[in-house]
Each structure stands twice: as structure tokens, then as C-alpha cells.
């Protein structure tokens, strides 16, 4: 029998507090779930790089998160380059992007750091895992202008179907997580039901945003299967179909084989 794999394209499993991290990773491995862990600051790129080496089926991104843009220095790209050279399990740049929700006071710095990391990813031909909150128009504009050749993924997509289609027209992938399982998340459900499968990816963004039936509790990588189940039910297809399509998409983007 062919095994069904799921690629969880965004999981901070290294940040779990109430769940034993080794147990959470075993639970994911037992269900053929591959986990990709983003970095947030100029310092924790080292931590993430070390962390992913401890486990099978766990990969990572290096990148500086918009809210942490102030930690980005001239040395950061060099550090990222050295880590990528020495660690084959680093398969993308993330999470990078723009966040105008919490603090708009350093918008310009966020943009500058985002652009520098896009240009870096272009040079080494790596995909981008993008965090975008209340900043969709600026994010798309920057990607159109600066991104030459890296596949972009909008993680935890919370925009409208119309905006999702506009992104897809630019070749951008849409990653959906636990929010699609929330009863009142009509926009996310509409996106999940209607975007072409060729541009869909799955994630959890744990420890945040646990899907139903664990909403409000600490999220973990294995719960990505509830995301896949909800999307399958919204689209009227099988979970295997969602798992296989999104796994193929991820394998192509990250240039690896889940098996
Ligand atoms: Ni995240």
C-alpha cells in the first residue's frame, strides 16, 4: 500500500510549552507527517538549524520575522548563508514578511529587511515562507517588484478568495492552517474550497491556532491532519487527495522527497 504523507510547511514545534517536543515529533512521524520549522530572529536561526538536525522528517527555514526586523544586521545574511551551506535540512527562507497588526512604527525597516531576504533567497534559489498580517497589498507589491525566481508561500493565509487568486496568478502558493476549521472562518473556508489544488499547502503554525477539536489548546504538528480533513470536506474530496496534492506541491517547491 502506498503511504500517504503530509508536509506541514510551517510549525514552531521547537516552541511547544505544554507538550513534550520529542513526543510531538514522534506523533507526527508515526502519521507520516514531515515538519518544516521556521526561524524568527537573527539569533534563533542557529537554534533552529541545530534543532532540525536532531530529528528525522524535520526540516527548517532560516529568516528574520518582521516583528524582529530590528535584530537583522549586516552579518545576518552571512550567518544564514553559512548555515545553509553546512546544513542540507535548511530548505527555505522564513519566516519573513510584513506585519502591520501589532506595530506600524517600523514599517520601513520591515520592508527593507523583507526585501534584503528576498534578494538573498533569489541568489541562492530558495523558496520564501512569508508571514503577512494586515499588509497584503505591500507584500504583493514587494514580491512583484523584487522577487525574481524564488517560489513564494503565503503562510497562514487570511485574505479573501479574490486576493488569493490574484496571488496565484503571480505563482504564489497559499498555505492554510487550523483557522479553516473554525466555524466562523468563512473567508478561510471559501479560499480552501475554491483555490486550485496546485497552489495549496498545509501547515499548523503551532503552538498557535490549534484546529477544531483542539481550538484554544496548544497546537502541535500532527494536528495538520485536521486541517487536511476540513479542506477535504469543504472540497468534497478525500483526505488522501488533499494530502497527495499538497505533498506533491511541497516536494516540488522544496526539491525533496517525503519518503
Ligand atoms: Ni509562524
Amino acid at each position: 500500500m502506498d503511504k500517504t504523507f503530509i508536509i506541514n510547511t510551517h510549525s514552531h514545534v521547537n516552541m511547544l510549552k505544554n507538550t513534550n517536543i520529542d513526543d510531538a515529533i514522534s506523533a507526527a512521524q508515526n502519521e507520516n507527517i514531515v515538519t518544516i520549522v521556521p526561524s524568527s530572529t537573527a539569533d534563533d536561526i542557529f537554534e533552529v538549524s541545530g534543532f532540525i538536525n536532531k530529528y528525522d522528517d524535520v526540516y527548517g527555514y532560516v529568516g528574520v520575522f518582521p516583528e524582529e526586523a530590528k535584530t537583522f544586521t549586516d552579518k545576518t545574511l552571512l550567518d544564514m548563508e553559512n548555515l545553509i551551506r553546512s546544513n542540507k535540512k535548511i530548505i527555505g527562507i522564513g519566516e519573513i514578511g510584513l506585519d502591520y497588526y501589532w506595530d506600524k512604527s517600523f514599517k520601513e525597516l520591515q520592508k527593507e529587511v523583507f526585501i534584503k531576504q528576498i534578494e538573498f533567497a533569489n541568489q541562492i534559489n530558495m523558496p520564501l515562507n512569508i508571514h503577512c498580517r494586515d499588509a497584503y497589498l505591500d507584500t504583493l507589491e514587494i514580491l512583484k517588484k523584487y522577487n525574481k525566481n524564488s517560489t513564494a508561500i503565503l503562510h497562514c493565509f487570511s485574505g479573501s478568495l479574490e486576493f488569493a487568486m490574484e496571488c496565484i496568478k503571480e505563482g504564489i502558493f497559499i498555505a492554510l492552517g487550523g483557522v479553516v476549521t473554525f466555524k466562523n472562518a468563512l473567508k478561510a473556508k471559501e479560499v480552501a474550497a475554491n483555490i486550485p489544488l496546485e497552489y495549496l499547502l498545509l501547515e499548523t503554525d503551532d503552538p498557535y491556532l490549534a484546529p477544531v477539536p483542539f481550538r484554544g489548546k496548544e497546537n502541535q504538528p500532527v494536528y495538520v491532519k485536521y486541517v487536511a480533513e476540513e479542506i477535504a470536506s469543504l472540497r468534497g474530496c478525500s483526505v488522501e487527495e488533499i494530502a497527495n496534492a499538497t505533498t506533491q506541491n511541497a516536494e516540488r517547491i522544496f526539491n525533496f522527497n517525503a519518503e
Side-chain angles (χ1 to χ4, degrees):
M1 199 179 82
D2 278 344
K3 277 199 222 164
T4 303
F5 286 85
I6 293 182
I7 317 262
N8 183 343
T9 60
H10 193 115
S11 154
H12 301 276
V13 62
N14 56 329
M15 287 165 50
L16 297 188
K17 296 254 163 15
N18 308 325
T19 318
N20 178 281
I21 292 173
D22 291 345
D23 290 348
I25 288 175
S26 303
Q29 287 165 339
N30 290 338
E31 306 228 17
N32 300 316
I33 291 164
V34 173
T35 305
I36 314 179
V37 182
S39 310
S40 306
T41 73
D43 288 326
D44 82 0
I45 57 176
F46 297 98
E47 198 252 320
V48 166
S49 177
F51 179 84
I52 59 179
N53 282 339
K54 292 196 289 184
Y55 303 96
D56 289 335
D57 304 322
V58 178
Y59 296 82
Y61 305 104
V62 289
V64 176
F65 185 70
E67 286 289 297
E68 300 289 346
K70 287 166 186 159
T71 70
F72 188 95
T73 66
D74 291 342
K75 192 174 153 284
T76 309
L77 290 180
L78 264 179
D79 289 341
M80 282 162 59
E81 197 179 339
N82 287 331
L83 287 171
I84 290 163
R85 232 181 242 142
S86 63
N87 188 349
K88 294 283 164 255
K89 294 183 84 182
I90 297 170
I91 55 176
I93 304 302
E95 59 187 297
I96 63 172
L98 302 173
D99 190 322
Y100 300 162
Y101 180 78
W102 295 108
D103 188 347
K104 297 183 182 66
S105 68
F106 57 104
K107 257 185 173 178
E108 290 313 310
L109 180 68
Q110 288 191 28
K111 285 186 191 171
E112 189 189 316
V113 169
F114 184 31
I115 292 166
K116 279 185 180 160
Q117 293 182 96
I118 292 170
E119 290 173 338
F120 170 69
N122 284 179
Q123 280 167 27
I124 55 171
N125 205 13
M126 273 199 156
L128 305 163
N129 196 267
I130 297 169
H131 170 100
C132 165
R133 194 159 183 203
D134 285 0
Y136 278 108
L137 291 178
D138 280 3
T139 299
L140 186 59
E141 194 182 295
I142 287 175
L143 285 172
K144 277 184 178 172
K145 190 162 169 199
Y146 294 95
N147 183 25
K148 307 289 180 229
N149 54 279
S150 294
T151 305
I153 301 163
L154 288 181
H155 120 77
C156 198
F157 185 84
S158 58
S160 64
L161 174 61
E162 192 190 355
F163 190 74
M165 295 309 292
E166 206 179 319
C167 293
I168 287 168
K169 243 194 305 176
E170 299 297 321
I172 297 168
F173 283 74
I174 305 295
L176 297 175
V179 173
V180 291
T181 67
F182 298 175
K183 207 173 163 190
N184 52 358
L186 300 180
K187 223 164 50 166
K189 288 184 196 293
E190 198 189 1
V191 170
N194 291 292
I195 62 168
L197 268 189
E198 294 72 33
Y199 285 93
L200 176 68
L201 294 166
L202 304 176
E203 64 164 60
T204 45
D205 202 17
D206 57 85
Y208 318 105
L209 298 169
V212 173
F214 301 101
R215 187 172 182 183
K217 305 235 168 64
E218 187 169 73
N219 199 356
Q220 57 170 292
V222 72
Y223 294 169
V224 73
K225 64 185 183 183
Y226 297 99
V227 177
E229 277 170 15
E230 175 66 18
I231 296 175
S233 115
L234 288 164
R235 296 181 76 102
C237 68
S238 68
V239 185
E240 288 73 26
E241 200 176 323
I242 298 299
N244 290 336
T246 54
T247 294
Q248 275 175 25
N249 294 343
E251 285 178 333
R252 246 183 299 122
I253 295 170
F254 299 111
N255 199 15
F256 71 178
N257 193 328
E259 292 163 62

